[in-house]
Amino acid sequence: MKQGAHGSAATGIPDHPADATRVPAQPRAADVARERDTSTPEARGEHTHSERPIPQPRAVVQRSSVRGQILDALRSALVTGELKPGEVYSAPALGDRFGVSATPVREAMQQLALEGAVEVVPNRGFRVVERGTRELAELAEIRALIEVPVMLRLARTVPAARWAELWPLAEDTVRAASSGCRATYAESDRAFHSALLALSGNEQLVRIAEDLHRRSQWPLVGGPPRPGHADLIADAAEHTALLEALIARDLDVVRALVGEHFAGAA
């Protein structure tokens, strides 16, 4: 995605992207100071039998929500290409962009660094990792090695009624594809695949698959053009066709559709 005429020079992100996540205002300084004040028994969580326990300050919940929303916004910016491979972004500049302090941005960026999406640049910020088409093909191959055997096993054992319960998720991918928003489609696509694999009862499998899915959505350097509107619609159509085949327990069609789905991802 190209930078708009009024984009922020500090961040490289347009001032008003179409699918930017709005973040609630930060707690006031006085509220934060009270939260950190441990000089009283109440602040330390202590209480006597004659006093009712004081609930956790509201600011703690709000802070966690801010960090999570910033992380979601940054992931979306990676998918849409607003965060460009090789570019360095500072937490204070991104904080100004989202209207929050640098702290939740830095925490979110550190999570992305753990996931391999960015790398820390001392005294500067975080650089978006540069990836090529070979890495994307390798990720697609790994996903196929993991998911295809599981899908075929589930196709033999899961009742049709259980598969039918996933129709709303498949329809969500179709609506997301119709919107043309890559970030929205990536999230609905991840939710659909995760729900399919969750029927295996293997939570570790689902987590690994979700990680691979997110990594496959990161921007490429010198790679092919990003999927267009028609590509997203075709990809979503494969979800509904796959679900129909699973409900009918047509293993040959399931095998073909899953194989083609990951071949297209490469």
Side-chain angles (χ1 to χ4, degrees), residues 34-249:
R34 283 196 296 272
E35 176 188 344
R36 294 177 177 173
D37 182 9
T38 57
S39 60
T40 64
E42 291 82 0
R44 295 193 299 270
E46 301 172 2
H47 59 277
T48 66
H49 292 292
S50 61
E51 299 174 338
R52 296 182 62 183
I54 298 177
Q56 285 286 344
R58 190 175 186 83
V60 172
V61 177
Q62 189 175 14
R63 167 68 176 279
S64 175
S65 175
V66 169
R67 176 189 176 279
Q69 290 185 60
I70 292 296
L71 181 58
D72 289 343
L74 291 173
R75 282 175 171 161
S76 294
L78 281 169
V79 173
T80 59
E82 294 166 27
L83 292 180
K84 303 181 183 302
E87 293 291 325
V88 177
Y89 299 90
S90 71
L94 287 172
D96 289 342
R97 165 67 185 84
F98 291 116
V100 299
S101 71
T103 299
V105 176
R106 190 174 292 110
E107 292 172 348
M109 277 294 202
Q110 288 169 348
Q111 175 60 38
L112 290 178
L114 291 175
E115 296 175 4
V118 300
E119 55 188 10
V120 178
V121 181
N123 302 318
R124 292 187 61 194
F126 301 84
R127 177 185 290 113
V128 178
V129 172
E130 298 181 84
R131 305 164 57 247
T133 55
R134 177 173 179 175
E135 182 175 343
L136 181 62
E138 290 174 347
L139 288 169
E141 181 181 4
I142 295 172
R143 291 185 66 194
L145 289 172
I146 292 175
E147 296 192 35
V148 172
V150 174
M151 290 302 305
L152 292 175
R153 175 169 60 84
L154 294 177
R156 298 184 181 95
T157 58
V158 174
R162 294 294 305 278
W163 293 122
E165 293 173 359
L166 303 184
W167 268 117
L169 291 176
E171 293 170 345
D172 283 345
T173 67
V174 174
R175 283 190 291 270
S178 298
S179 75
C181 175
R182 288 190 297 269
T184 302
Y185 181 74
E187 183 60 23
S188 64
D189 183 52
R190 181 202 58 78
F192 176 75
H193 282 271
S194 295
L196 291 177
L197 295 176
L199 293 177
S200 69
N202 189 328
E203 294 182 1
Q204 299 305 315
L205 170 67
V206 175
R207 291 176 184 174
I208 292 172
E210 287 184 342
D211 178 64
L212 292 171
H213 182 277
R214 285 197 176 97
R215 292 174 62 187
S216 69
Q217 299 292 328
W218 296 342
L220 300 178
V221 173
R226 288 176 170 272
H229 194 182
D231 298 314
L232 297 181
I233 292 176
D235 196 72
E238 291 179 357
H239 293 158
T240 56
L242 174 61
L243 207 50
E244 289 174 348
L246 288 167
I247 292 173
R249 197 163 289 186

